[in-house]
Amino acid sequence: MSFNTFGRVFRFTTWGESHGPALGAVVDGCPPGLTLAETEIQPWLDKRRPGTSRFTTQRREPDQVRILSGVFEGRTTGTPISLMIENVDQRSKDYSEVAQAYRPGHADYAYDAKYGLRDYRGGGRSSARETAARVAAGAVARAVIPGVRIRAWVEAIGGDAIDPAAFDDAQIDANPFFCPDAAAAARWEEKVDAARKAGSSLGAVIACEATGVPAGWGAPLYAKLDSELAAAIMSINAVKGVEIGDGFAAAALSGETNADPMRPGIAGPEFLANHAGGIAGGIATGQPIRVRAAFKPTSSILTPVQTISRTGEATEIATRGRHDPCVGIRGVPVVEAMVALVLADQFLLHRAQRG
Amino acid sequence: MSFNTFGRVFRFTTWGESHGPALGAVVDGCPPGLTLAETEIQPWLDKRRPGTSRFTTQRREPDQVRILSGVFEGRTTGTPISLMIENVDQRSKDYSEVAQAYRPGHADYAYDAKYGLRDYRGGGRSSARETAARVAAGAVARAVIPGVRIRAWVEAIGGDAIDPAAFDDAQIDANPFFCPDAAAAARWEEKVDAARKAGSSLGAVIACEATGVPAGWGAPLYAKLDSELAAAIMSINAVKGVEIGDGFAAAALSGETNADPMRPGIAGPEFLANHAGGIAGGIATGQPIRVRAAFKPTSSILTPVQTISRTGEATEIATRGRHDPCVGIRGVPVVEAMVALVLADQFLLHRAQRG
Amino acid sequence: MSFNTFGRVFRFTTWGESHGPALGAVVDGCPPGLTLAETEIQPWLDKRRPGTSRFTTQRREPDQVRILSGVFEGRTTGTPISLMIENVDQRSKDYSEVAQAYRPGHADYAYDAKYGLRDYRGGGRSSARETAARVAAGAVARAVIPGVRIRAWVEAIGGDAIDPAAFDDAQIDANPFFCPDAAAAARWEEKVDAARKAGSSLGAVIACEATGVPAGWGAPLYAKLDSELAAAIMSINAVKGVEIGDGFAAAALSGETNADPMRPGIAGPEFLANHAGGIAGGIATGQPIRVRAAFKPTSSILTPVQTISRTGEATEIATRGRHDPCVGIRGVPVVEAMVALVLADQFLLHRAQRG
Amino acid sequence: MSFNTFGRVFRFTTWGESHGPALGAVVDGCPPGLTLAETEIQPWLDKRRPGTSRFTTQRREPDQVRILSGVFEGRTTGTPISLMIENVDQRSKDYSEVAQAYRPGHADYAYDAKYGLRDYRGGGRSSARETAARVAAGAVARAVIPGVRIRAWVEAIGGDAIDPAAFDDAQIDANPFFCPDAAAAARWEEKVDAARKAGSSLGAVIACEATGVPAGWGAPLYAKLDSELAAAIMSINAVKGVEIGDGFAAAALSGETNADPMRPGIAGPEFLANHAGGIAGGIATGQPIRVRAAFKPTSSILTPVQTISRTGEATEIATRGRHDPCVGIRGVPVVEAMVALVLADQFLLHRAQRG
């Protein structure tokens, strides 16, 4: 099947293809009475918008969002919020080759195997363009949990990581890489340029932190906060790994090293470490939620790769068209959106159970 | 809330606490006519059963499963299959200290924050004992997809990894660590013994491979095969990271290195690599599905850790009782079960859509 | 909460308010490869469209549907199908009175109680205008189950019932009442005219029959075919009762009178009666599915009714604006759509379990 | 498929066959901290228990419920509550004939058509015995909404209705028919006796009223309170019709007659009628919720009925074994339970959205 809805009580459904007339999201279960306008959603879309620097795809999409329902006189009514973004810069003719041959690493072959046919224009439904709808929905989610601050950044590109000691929150929005380390941003500029010129692409690691999440949010066992975050993040195009807190590094620790000791604090317990990434037993501990995502390098590259045609013959493919040399960069607002969407849902679930 | 059901059409619901009278699973949506008996479920439980070596907890639980419904004259009837396992070796008095103070890294504090009260005996619902129910349900899932072979093993303990070149499938069941590398198993014996004697614990990395999954399974976008696997694996106690295919390593690769080139094969396309772990666009490609999970070290350790009491005072806690020095080891059959449960669900979803 | 999605694997989500810019449905889980075009959806919308006779509301809406996603080169792709209908004939100023006082029988007071605010224009989300989105989605459902014929008609208006002996399928589309009995249609013309002129309204009973549903569809116990139909029908505006087969009349029968005896037939069993309405144990028996729905009279009437204002004062309200004198009439295509949507879902569920 | 779970956030899953070792329910999503014990659940089961008078089946089942999880020191913990009832008085040999031939009106044929096999003993999963699990779950639901009073009764048996003017709440528990009208109860005694002696059975109408439901509960559009009630009630064995408020009678009214006028009251609005049964737009209005259910006569009767065998030959069947002459009677606590389960869910959903 296809399942284009995410969430338990705060739910969103996305629709749309890369080269169709439009794409959108229907957000259902949003509490009434929240202030919401297109102008509050647009900045998040602008952050994800393509064509803002030479380090992203050159497709020019204004990504203007329209609210079609669920808001009356500037406030949410509790009914479904329909958000629509028109596609304006499709160049479907770029994709004639993709129609005939499978791009390795891309969803082309898998979609044909699953559905027996596919909208090959720009990857159709499998295109990362769909994430615009998530970002729009994520903006609504943020309105549901105004006390929570969600902030993501790029931690590494092509294996070149930031220096944690150089972390500067103010830097994140000051460069085209959402990079908190100015020195790393400078290195990445060269690196991404080189990849782009070589017709290649690069992977990236995105980190995200959510602060202000109260202890208690989470819905064990099969909607654990970490489980929901893992599902949400892994559903983003190109993501191949998810970590909560120390993640794989924790697997190399001992019990006492990995413990997050507690002591009495002014407003509740104070933790002396956060290896757990703010989640224990699937429930928020009140510490910052920490998530990391591994983005593989873009599969659409100019470098020719060995492949087969739809009819099964051997061939090569070089993906022309306009593509991100490092799709992970624009993954930053998408990761933030998915974290917001999970947290809004968990907030409402917690409120259902505890009042 | 709590959400103790997993799956879309092949669903299971688990219940039970570590020290309650029993625990179990209700499996719903299972196709009719499949051969099923307690004797086919029991071996998987035996694999997870505690007390089989000195490297696992010494709690003695026979973990005998009973089928209470859904099977008639040896075959599934299409109605819910109720599976029950009685708890026989509870020693609740071991937990008086846990009742009063929070074990750092454990779910104690978070459960209190969420629910306002908790069954502290053996960790109650947050205990890894619940995974017995998953393993029982997983055995039913295997019956749904007999053509799929699911195999997990331990890849690293406490940061000490196997040598991939020494991988020997026959070794996995030949040592108490589910270790495919005999030399590593020998090292781990010392390592885990040392940790146990030191009142410490160790993390582990588990790898799992599923072969025989046809191209096309997967339910994009929000029930993508990788997204569902991530949710399933991350819902296992102690798991803090999930990777599909190359996972975080892919983030350091370039597009052409990470591509899985294709060429015509005898029965469909042949892939020349499997960086993607058998999943593209959330859909199986026909290659082996590859998943990895990071298990943190057991939080219940004898080494005292700084913490607070339920009433907020500073204290220390050393967790007595019987615990696994490396909970990741017994995670092997649990990871396999979760993968089986996801795949059985995806198989039925695919059949719904394609007939 | 609000839950604007219906279905298990064939799901649709509707959005939109009576006087917003547009309304629509997202249909998810549709099998790929089906022929689908706007021209196949439009006739069903035309059937429900207002303003086609003096017996329905005079609001002039062309109800032109647009397919925004999920269809490529005339065939469904297996991805979400977004359907949109623009509102063009809103006259929101008609509703200033409704903004200030509650129309008894309408959802005004309940929405305010639930949400603390409401879009009062034309009833906002509670308007029967939303059913246009259901009808559009229902047309997609019909494409999923081409072997099933679904046919509804009006059986009674204001307590005046058709003569079953005069039932003539050809009449149903030959009069503005979807009435299979020409004599009754003539009587209803006077009756509805009289009600309209008196500023009153009338209730109606709609019957629906689905033939070609194979024995076996149905998903007991809590997605029984009759249970899903009941939920679907009762979710339609103004419906207050649902019957399967003989319904309430069956409660007055004895076991042997109510039995549907069977005898061997040419292609499987032959039933000698259909008191059960084609469903036993929540599963289709292969006989025609028979459902009936009671529509209450439109609550929006010109006759003044005692009520209270938003601020709690006693007042009277006479609903101006354009309204159906008998909303049940236009319920006919809506009932058909809901039956189609349930059956498409049940077909896919059955296929999931039985292949 | 089969779907044995009901509810959105307050969910229950039932399992078990008529002649299996046990049956049960897992209740998930229950808020923590509620007082709950087996002694609070048992009285509701006792009300439904067979063999308490000559007007119900003579099968002797103590229906003792056991709580296996989710309750600690007398209070709910927020984790799944597993409830189990053992079957002790199965007489499977009574069913050899049912194994070979289909009882008209019963689910025998449909189950075979759906699943290809069936547990024929006592109807297996399609037996009304399953409703014991619902009643147990319903008792938990009642604990979630202590301010709501839910009360059902029998309104008619075999077409013989109570006199509304003679309604006496105190009578309901004073006779074996849950009949609020002493004179009707006397008549029914003869009527049911006669049917039983004749090897026949009778249908019944059950009415249910829930008071204390605050205005605002309900989750439009596809989890409307009336839609959920319709699904819940129609899922009960033998139910063929559901009405909210005036139901089908409303279809014969005019808009002004059917209106429920409002005037200012002491604590909010006061309604001058309740045709709507306490629900408008799918949302509670604060008036009593009124629901009616039509139960068909028991299909298992001693009178021989024409049918076919599993192999398709013509035959007759007379159902021996122990059966209720009027299954609607024992439907009373089941209807109450389903109403409680829906309302508990709606309460939590409302709390999620409004805090």
Side-chain angles (χ1 to χ4, degrees):
Chain A
M1 303 306 290
S2 72
F3 276 92
N4 292 278
T5 299
F6 188 90
R8 312 269 170 171
V9 293
F10 184 86
R11 283 149 276 124
F12 70 99
T13 302
T14 71
W15 56 270
E17 276 82 38
S18 178
H19 288 220
L23 53 87
V26 182
V27 179
D28 197 12
C30 183
L34 306 177
T35 300
L36 190 73
E38 287 155 2
T39 50
E40 287 165 83
I41 301 173
Q42 196 59 49
W44 305 106
L45 281 165
D46 291 346
K47 204 170 162 183
R48 196 211 73 100
R49 191 152 52 87
T52 52
S53 81
R54 71 177 186 277
F55 307 107
T56 66
T57 172
Q58 294 308 300
R59 179 168 169 176
R60 299 278 166 189
E61 288 289 353
D63 280 352
Q64 287 293 324
V65 68
R66 280 187 68 199
I67 299 176
L68 296 177
S69 68
V71 175
F72 182 59
E73 297 179 344
R75 285 192 296 161
T76 60
T77 57
T79 63
I81 301 166
S82 179
L83 304 167
M84 187 168 73
I85 298 160
E86 287 184 64
N87 287 324
V88 302
D89 185 27
Q90 311 100 316
R91 292 195 204 154
S92 299
K93 64 179 174 332
D94 287 346
Y95 294 94
S96 51
E97 203 172 1
V98 175
Q100 300 308 325
Y102 300 127
R103 289 167 295 174
H106 218 294
D108 302 339
Y109 169 69
Y111 264 70
D112 256 7
K114 177 164 199 67
Y115 296 116
L117 79 172
R118 74 192 146 98
D119 177 351
Y120 50 78
R121 301 166 305 162
R125 182 69 181 154
S126 74
S127 166
R129 179 134 187 77
E130 181 267 347
T131 58
R134 306 184 188 210
V135 169
V140 181
R142 286 179 191 263
V144 175
I145 45 170
V148 176
R149 181 176 184 271
I150 298 161
R151 182 73 157 152
W153 59 87
V154 179
E155 206 169 270
I157 286 185
D160 180 8
I162 60 166
D163 173 6
F167 187 100
D168 177 3
D169 188 275
Q171 277 297 314
I172 297 175
D173 293 324
N175 60 68
F177 302 107
F178 302 110
C179 177
D181 167 357
R187 296 196 306 271
W188 295 351
E189 196 165 321
E190 278 183 57
K191 204 174 176 80
V192 178
D193 261 338
R196 188 167 50 83
K197 284 169 190 162
S200 180
S201 64
L202 295 167
V205 175
I206 311 299
C208 184
E209 192 176 76
T211 52
V213 176
W217 291 10
L221 290 178
Y222 299 117
K224 282 176 172 175
L225 183 45
D226 35 5
S227 178
E228 298 282 275
L229 286 170
I233 301 298
M234 196 67 97
S235 76
I236 302 172
N237 310 50
V239 172
K240 301 302 282 185
V242 182
E243 294 183 315
I244 304 294
D246 284 4
F248 278 86
L253 299 179
S254 67
E256 61 276 20
T257 325
N258 185 61
D260 296 327
M262 301 164 82
R263 69 177 175 204
I266 293 159
E270 188 183 313
F271 289 88
L272 306 179
N274 188 12
H275 299 283
I279 305 174
I283 302 170
T285 60
Q287 288 199 281
I289 308 289
R290 297 199 298 112
V291 190
R292 292 168 84 244
F295 282 73
K296 68 174 184 182
T298 317
S299 302
S300 302
I301 49 174
L302 269 167
T303 307
V305 189
Q306 185 179 354
T307 190
I308 60 168
S309 70
R310 284 206 72 189
T311 48
E313 277 94 56
T315 182
E316 271 202 339
I317 193 161
T319 313
R320 267 166 284 274
R322 299 159 299 176
H323 299 285
D324 288 281
C326 176
V327 75
I329 298 170
R330 287 171 57 217
V332 165
V334 182
V335 167
E336 287 184 353
M338 295 309 288
V339 170
L341 288 156
V342 166
L343 290 174
D345 196 28
Q346 292 279 3
F347 162 55
L348 297 182
L349 287 172
H350 189 65
R351 192 157 73 169
Q353 202 168 29
R354 295 305 305 276
Chain B
M1 303 306 293
S2 73
F3 276 90
N4 292 277
T5 299
F6 188 91
R8 311 270 170 169
V9 293
F10 184 87
R11 283 149 277 124
F12 70 98
T13 302
T14 71
W15 55 270
E17 277 82 37
S18 178
H19 287 220
L23 54 88
V26 182
V27 178
D28 198 12
C30 184
L34 307 177
T35 300
L36 190 72
E38 287 154 2
T39 50
E40 288 166 82
I41 301 172
Q42 197 59 49
W44 304 107
L45 281 165
D46 291 346
K47 204 169 160 184
R48 196 210 73 100
R49 190 152 53 87
T52 53
S53 81
R54 72 177 185 276
F55 306 107
T56 65
T57 172
Q58 295 307 299
R59 180 167 168 177
R60 300 279 166 188
E61 287 289 352
D63 279 352
Q64 288 292 323
V65 68
R66 280 187 68 199
I67 298 175
L68 296 177
S69 68
V71 176
F72 181 58
E73 298 179 344
R75 286 193 295 162
T76 59
T77 58
T79 63
I81 300 167
S82 178
L83 304 167
M84 187 169 73
I85 298 160
E86 287 182 64
N87 288 323
V88 302
D89 185 27
Q90 311 100 316
R91 291 194 204 154
S92 299
K93 65 182 173 332
D94 287 346
Y95 294 94
S96 50
E97 203 171 0
V98 175
Q100 300 309 326
Y102 300 126
R103 290 166 294 174
H106 218 294
D108 301 340
Y109 169 69
Y111 265 70
D112 256 8
K114 176 163 200 67
Y115 296 116
L117 80 172
R118 74 191 146 100
D119 177 352
Y120 50 77
R121 301 165 304 161
R125 182 70 181 153
S126 74
S127 165
R129 178 136 187 76
E130 182 266 349
T131 58
R134 305 183 188 212
V135 169
V140 180
R142 286 179 191 262
V144 175
I145 44 169
V148 176
R149 180 177 185 269
I150 298 160
R151 182 72 156 154
W153 58 88
V154 178
E155 207 168 87
I157 287 186
D160 181 7
I162 59 166
D163 174 6
F167 188 99
D168 177 3
D169 188 276
Q171 277 297 314
I172 296 174
D173 293 325
N175 61 67
F177 301 107
F178 301 109
C179 178
D181 168 356
R187 296 196 306 271
W188 294 352
E189 195 164 323
E190 277 183 58
K191 203 172 176 81
V192 178
D193 261 338
R196 187 168 51 84
K197 283 171 191 162
S200 181
S201 63
L202 295 167
V205 175
I206 311 299
C208 184
E209 193 178 75
T211 52
V213 176
W217 291 11
L221 289 178
Y222 300 117
K224 280 177 172 174
L225 183 44
D226 36 4
S227 178
E228 298 283 276
L229 286 170
I233 301 297
M234 197 67 97
S235 77
I236 302 172
N237 311 50
V239 172
K240 301 302 282 186
V242 182
E243 294 182 315
I244 305 294
D246 282 5
F248 278 86
L253 297 180
S254 67
E256 61 277 18
T257 325
N258 185 61
D260 296 328
M262 301 164 82
R263 68 177 176 204
I266 294 159
E270 190 182 310
F271 289 88
L272 305 179
N274 189 11
H275 298 284
I279 304 175
I283 302 171
T285 61
Q287 288 200 282
I289 306 290
R290 299 198 297 113
V291 190
R292 292 168 84 242
F295 281 74
K296 68 175 185 181
T298 318
S299 302
S300 302
I301 49 175
L302 270 167
T303 307
V305 189
Q306 186 179 353
T307 191
I308 60 168
S309 69
R310 283 206 73 188
T311 48
E313 276 95 55
T315 182
E316 271 201 341
I317 193 161
T319 313
R320 267 165 284 274
R322 299 159 297 175
H323 299 285
D324 287 282
C326 175
V327 75
I329 299 170
R330 286 172 57 218
V332 165
V334 182
V335 167
E336 286 184 353
M338 295 310 288
V339 170
L341 289 156
V342 167
L343 290 174
D345 195 28
Q346 292 279 3
F347 162 56
L348 297 181
L349 286 172
H350 188 65
R351 192 157 73 169
Q353 203 168 27
R354 294 306 305 276
Chain C
M1 304 305 293
S2 72
F3 276 90
N4 293 278
T5 299
F6 188 90
R8 310 271 170 170
V9 293
F10 183 86
R11 282 149 277 124
F12 69 99
T13 302
T14 72
W15 55 270
E17 276 83 36
S18 178
H19 287 220
L23 54 88
V26 182
V27 179
D28 197 12
C30 184
L34 307 177
T35 300
L36 191 72
E38 287 154 4
T39 51
E40 288 167 82
I41 301 173
Q42 196 60 48
W44 305 106
L45 282 165
D46 291 346
K47 205 171 160 182
R48 196 211 73 99
R49 191 152 52 87
T52 52
S53 81
R54 71 176 186 277
F55 306 107
T56 65
T57 172
Q58 294 309 300
R59 179 168 170 177
R60 299 278 165 188
E61 287 288 352
D63 279 352
Q64 288 293 325
V65 67
R66 280 188 68 200
I67 299 176
L68 297 177
S69 67
V71 176
F72 182 58
E73 298 179 344
R75 286 193 295 161
T76 59
T77 57
T79 63
I81 300 166
S82 179
L83 304 167
M84 187 167 73
I85 298 160
E86 287 183 65
N87 288 323
V88 302
D89 185 27
Q90 310 101 315
R91 291 196 203 152
S92 300
K93 64 181 175 329
D94 286 346
Y95 294 94
S96 51
E97 202 171 2
V98 175
Q100 301 309 326
Y102 300 126
R103 289 167 295 174
H106 218 296
D108 301 340
Y109 169 69
Y111 265 71
D112 257 7
K114 177 162 199 69
Y115 297 116
L117 80 171
R118 74 192 147 99
D119 177 351
Y120 50 78
R121 301 166 305 161
R125 182 69 182 154
S126 74
S127 166
R129 179 135 187 77
E130 181 267 347
T131 58
R134 305 184 188 211
V135 169
V140 180
R142 286 179 192 262
V144 175
I145 45 169
V148 176
R149 180 176 185 270
I150 298 160
R151 184 71 157 152
W153 59 87
V154 178
E155 207 168 88
I157 287 185
D160 181 7
I162 60 166
D163 173 5
F167 188 100
D168 177 3
D169 188 276
Q171 277 296 313
I172 296 174
D173 293 324
N175 60 68
F177 302 107
F178 302 110
C179 177
D181 168 356
R187 295 195 309 270
W188 295 351
E189 196 164 320
E190 278 183 57
K191 205 174 175 78
V192 178
D193 262 338
R196 188 167 50 83
K197 285 170 191 162
S200 181
S201 64
L202 294 167
V205 175
I206 311 299
C208 185
E209 192 177 75
T211 51
V213 176
W217 292 9
L221 289 180
Y222 299 117
K224 281 177 172 174
L225 182 46
D226 35 4
S227 178
E228 298 283 275
L229 286 169
I233 302 297
M234 197 67 97
S235 77
I236 302 172
N237 311 49
V239 173
K240 301 302 282 187
V242 182
E243 294 183 315
I244 304 294
D246 283 4
F248 277 85
L253 298 179
S254 67
E256 60 277 19
T257 325
N258 186 60
D260 297 326
M262 302 164 82
R263 68 177 174 204
I266 294 159
E270 189 182 311
F271 289 88
L272 305 180
N274 188 12
H275 299 284
I279 305 174
I283 301 171
T285 62
Q287 289 200 281
I289 307 290
R290 298 197 298 113
V291 190
R292 292 168 84 244
F295 281 74
K296 68 173 185 183
T298 318
S299 302
S300 302
I301 49 174
L302 270 167
T303 307
V305 189
Q306 185 179 354
T307 190
I308 59 168
S309 69
R310 285 207 71 188
T311 48
E313 277 95 55
T315 182
E316 271 201 342
I317 192 161
T319 313
R320 267 166 284 273
R322 298 159 299 176
H323 299 284
D324 287 282
C326 175
V327 75
I329 298 170
R330 286 172 58 218
V332 166
V334 182
V335 167
E336 286 184 354
M338 294 310 288
V339 170
L341 289 156
V342 167
L343 290 173
D345 195 28
Q346 291 279 2
F347 162 56
L348 297 181
L349 287 172
H350 189 64
R351 192 158 73 170
Q353 202 167 29
R354 294 306 305 277
Chain D
M1 303 306 291
S2 73
F3 276 91
N4 292 279
T5 299
F6 189 91
R8 310 270 170 171
V9 294
F10 184 86
R11 281 150 278 122
F12 70 99
T13 302
T14 72
W15 56 270
E17 276 83 36
S18 178
H19 287 221
L23 53 87
V26 182
V27 179
D28 197 13
C30 184
L34 307 177
T35 300
L36 191 72
E38 286 154 3
T39 51
E40 287 166 83
I41 301 173
Q42 197 59 48
W44 305 106
L45 281 165
D46 291 346
K47 206 170 160 182
R48 196 211 72 100
R49 190 154 52 88
T52 52
S53 82
R54 71 177 185 278
F55 306 107
T56 65
T57 173
Q58 295 307 300
R59 180 168 169 176
R60 299 279 166 188
E61 288 288 352
D63 279 352
Q64 288 293 323
V65 67
R66 282 187 66 197
I67 298 175
L68 296 177
S69 68
V71 176
F72 181 59
E73 297 180 345
R75 285 194 295 161
T76 59
T77 57
T79 63
I81 301 166
S82 179
L83 304 167
M84 187 168 73
I85 298 160
E86 287 183 64
N87 287 324
V88 302
D89 186 26
Q90 309 100 316
R91 290 195 206 154
S92 299
K93 65 179 175 330
D94 287 346
Y95 293 93
S96 50
E97 204 171 0
V98 175
Q100 299 309 325
Y102 300 127
R103 289 167 295 174
H106 218 293
D108 301 340
Y109 169 69
Y111 265 70
D112 257 6
K114 177 164 199 67
Y115 296 117
L117 80 172
R118 75 192 145 99
D119 177 352
Y120 50 77
R121 301 166 304 162
R125 182 69 180 153
S126 74
S127 166
R129 179 137 187 75
E130 181 267 348
T131 58
R134 305 184 189 211
V135 169
V140 181
R142 285 179 191 264
V144 175
I145 44 169
V148 176
R149 181 178 184 269
I150 297 160
R151 182 71 156 155
W153 58 88
V154 178
E155 207 168 87
I157 287 185
D160 181 7
I162 60 166
D163 173 6
F167 188 98
D168 177 2
D169 188 276
Q171 277 296 315
I172 296 174
D173 294 324
N175 61 68
F177 303 106
F178 300 110
C179 178
D181 168 356
R187 296 196 306 269
W188 295 350
E189 196 164 321
E190 278 182 57
K191 203 173 176 81
V192 178
D193 262 338
R196 187 167 50 85
K197 283 170 190 160
S200 181
S201 64
L202 295 167
V205 174
I206 311 299
C208 185
E209 193 177 75
T211 52
V213 176
W217 291 10
L221 289 180
Y222 299 117
K224 280 177 172 174
L225 183 46
D226 35 5
S227 179
E228 298 283 276
L229 286 170
I233 300 298
M234 196 67 97
S235 77
I236 301 172
N237 311 50
V239 173
K240 302 302 283 186
V242 182
E243 295 182 315
I244 305 294
D246 283 5
F248 278 86
L253 297 180
S254 66
E256 61 277 18
T257 326
N258 186 61
D260 297 327
M262 301 165 81
R263 67 177 177 204
I266 294 159
E270 190 182 311
F271 289 88
L272 304 180
N274 188 10
H275 299 284
I279 304 175
I283 302 171
T285 61
Q287 287 199 282
I289 306 289
R290 298 197 297 113
V291 190
R292 292 168 85 243
F295 282 73
K296 68 174 185 182
T298 318
S299 302
S300 303
I301 50 174
L302 270 168
T303 307
V305 189
Q306 187 180 353
T307 191
I308 59 168
S309 69
R310 283 206 73 188
T311 48
E313 275 95 55
T315 182
E316 272 202 339
I317 193 161
T319 313
R320 269 165 283 274
R322 300 159 297 176
H323 299 285
D324 288 282
C326 176
V327 75
I329 299 169
R330 287 172 56 217
V332 165
V334 182
V335 167
E336 286 184 353
M338 294 310 288
V339 170
L341 288 157
V342 167
L343 290 174
D345 195 27
Q346 292 279 4
F347 162 57
L348 297 181
L349 286 172
H350 189 66
R351 192 158 72 171
Q353 202 167 29
R354 294 305 305 276

